[in-house]
Amino acid sequence: MKITIDHLTKDFGSTIAVNDFSAVIESGELIALLGPSGCGKSTMLNMISGILPSSTGHIYFDEDDVTDVAPEKRGVGLVFQNYALYPHMTVLENIAFPLEIKKVKKAEREAKAIEMAKLVHVDMLLDRKPKQLSGGQQQRVAIARALIKNPRVLLLDEPLSNLDARLRIEMREEIRRIQQETQVTTIFVTHDQEEAMSISDHIVLMKDGFLQQVARPQELYDEPANCFVADFLGNPPINKTHGVIKGGKIVLDGGCEVELEAAKNLPEGKKVTLSMRAEAIVIDEELKNTEGTVVETYVMGKEVLAYVSLGDYKVRAYIPAEKNFGKGQKVTVGLKKRGVFVFDEETGARLA
């Protein structure tokens, strides 16, 4: 089912949590709603579910305007951060409970619950109570309970936050598998860029209640719309330097000159932010380009992460382990075309 969000706003008095937000989520996709804490992700999810009313704007499920429709009539399945399982019920009873509320006959609802338990791989745990389950198992039960209603939309609000690192990787892969098998349109709220990049069809990135960019994960990484998007995605974080356009070059704070084809088309005196991903920086001894000094190196197996001085800045760059560049060594710094961006220093808008 397609979801259309049309100029949606939510204000809490003087605080605007979501500001004039518009986006389209295609049917059958898994969308990551991504952004830092407090950016409005959960507020957006709660408006889509109907738990929170919107201040202005509209929400459409296919062609149906559900803006003022009660939560229980929207056909959504919800999975929260704390899973909210009933401690006195077994796994089977927890999964079947939404159908019990609908007065579905016991045999029918238990058969459906067993089917859902098999889908999420907890069919061997049907007689256990929640306290006898691991965090990952509880999450699977919560997903099965949400899916048993055959929802039009599945909404997941930071469902991996309570799990350890290894289990988070396992469970995000399971969520992707389940979503692909059911083909239910799914919105996955997270502040973790790695989770969003690894399992989503598209990422909706938010900041301070505003939509920043909607794109496929790789496109968001390769073609950020503004400085915030470039900063938010990537590990290690993108290198961020500041300078001014002089004579078709970028002169960084500290006097270091960087030659960049895109800079030749920018107005003289323009203040810019030059952002460079670590993998976009080429360190060598013979390139005739910008000079720098190796400040520190960290061995990471087949590669070495080096910190190199560039004007007043230290930038991270990957170098092959066999290069053996040492601390204090003078090197030249070149830039690849991919992974290098120029932004307006004042507005953060992408210039090149």
Side-chain angles (χ1 to χ4, degrees):
M1 186 194 66
K2 181 179 177 181
I3 301 172
T4 303
I5 302 166
D6 183 28
H7 296 288
L8 205 64
T9 296
K10 179 62 182 179
D11 64 72
F12 298 95
S14 60
T15 302
I16 300 177
V18 175
N19 202 328
D20 195 28
F21 189 105
S22 295
V24 175
I25 298 168
E26 296 295 340
S27 178
E29 286 201 334
L30 192 161
I31 299 298
L33 193 52
L34 176 67
S37 297
C39 73
K41 306 184 299 294
S42 293
T43 300
M44 174 62 69
L45 200 77
N46 287 334
M47 285 193 287
I48 294 171
S49 70
I51 293 174
L52 273 178
S54 62
S55 300
T56 60
H58 295 271
I59 302 168
Y60 297 91
F61 286 2
D62 284 336
E63 303 303 320
D64 301 330
D65 188 341
V66 299
T67 311
D68 299 318
V69 174
E72 64 273 15
K73 295 182 179 179
R74 293 195 185 191
V76 299
L78 276 165
V79 178
F80 296 102
Q81 185 176 338
N82 63 1
Y83 315 136
L85 300 179
Y86 301 108
H88 62 286
M89 293 184 180
T90 65
V91 166
L92 180 65
E93 291 167 340
N94 263 286
I95 297 173
F97 188 68
L99 299 186
E100 184 178 349
I101 293 175
K102 291 184 175 182
K103 308 296 183 184
V104 175
K105 292 181 179 178
K106 184 176 181 180
E108 183 181 344
R109 68 175 184 256
E110 287 190 351
K112 184 68 174 177
I114 292 170
E115 180 185 335
M116 289 296 104
K118 288 179 179 177
L119 175 68
V120 301
H121 298 167
V122 293
D123 49 306
M124 302 299 291
L125 309 171
L126 294 176
D127 295 327
R128 293 191 186 183
K129 299 285 182 67
K131 66 181 180 181
Q132 297 172 296
L133 304 177
S134 68
Q137 290 167 341
Q138 290 183 45
Q139 185 196 57
R140 291 169 188 265
V141 174
I143 293 172
R145 186 179 61 185
L147 288 173
I148 199 170
K149 298 183 294 183
N150 193 28
R152 303 164 77 187
V153 183
L154 179 62
L155 305 175
L156 307 169
D157 193 2
E158 305 241 19
L160 307 181
S161 297
N162 294 333
L163 306 180
D164 63 51
R166 188 164 187 169
L167 192 54
R168 287 173 74 155
I169 294 173
E170 177 187 326
M171 286 310 305
R172 75 190 187 204
E173 292 170 351
E174 278 297 283
I175 287 171
R176 182 59 171 164
R177 176 189 65 80
I178 293 164
Q179 189 274 332
Q180 288 184 322
E181 286 191 25
T182 60
Q183 286 295 296
V184 62
T185 304
T186 301
I187 302 175
F188 179 101
V189 167
T190 180
H191 63 271
D192 188 316
Q193 52 144 329
E194 187 178 327
E195 287 177 5
M197 294 283 287
S198 64
I199 67 170
S200 58
D201 295 303
H202 284 84
I203 293 175
V204 177
L205 183 57
M206 295 182 68
K207 178 194 178 189
D208 298 334
F210 288 95
L211 174 66
Q212 299 296 307
Q213 191 172 354
V214 181
R216 293 191 177 277
Q218 196 62 48
E219 181 186 349
L220 205 68
Y221 185 83
D222 290 338
E223 300 294 340
N226 57 47
C227 196
F228 170 77
V229 177
D231 286 350
F232 197 80
L233 296 174
N235 188 24
I238 197 166
N239 297 296
K240 194 173 177 181
T241 63
H242 302 281
V244 63
I245 302 297
K246 288 184 180 179
K249 298 179 181 179
I250 300 176
V251 180
L252 301 180
D253 297 342
C256 178
E257 293 186 355
V258 177
E259 288 192 42
L260 206 62
E261 189 66 30
K264 296 177 182 178
N265 301 318
L266 297 177
E268 187 79 5
K270 179 73 174 176
K271 290 184 178 181
V272 298
T273 299
L274 174 63
S275 296
M276 305 157 281
R277 301 209 182 275
E279 64 270 22
I281 299 175
V282 181
I283 304 297
D284 211 310
E285 294 174 292
E286 299 176 357
L287 287 172
K288 292 182 179 179
N289 209 317
T290 305
E291 291 187 353
T293 304
V294 176
V295 178
E296 194 58 83
T297 58
Y298 297 91
V299 177
M300 304 178 72
K302 66 177 182 178
E303 292 179 310
V304 173
L305 183 65
Y307 282 75
V308 180
S309 66
L310 210 59
D312 287 346
Y313 300 95
K314 286 193 302 183
V315 299
R316 306 174 191 86
Y318 287 114
I319 56 177
E322 64 270 15
K323 287 287 186 180
N324 292 320
F325 289 139
K327 186 175 180 179
Q329 186 167 350
K330 297 291 184 181
V331 293
T332 56
V333 181
L335 298 178
K336 300 178 182 178
K337 289 184 178 180
R338 183 177 179 181
V340 178
F341 314 105
V342 182
F343 303 102
D344 186 303
E345 188 172 285
E346 185 178 347
T347 67
R350 174 99 174 261
L351 300 175

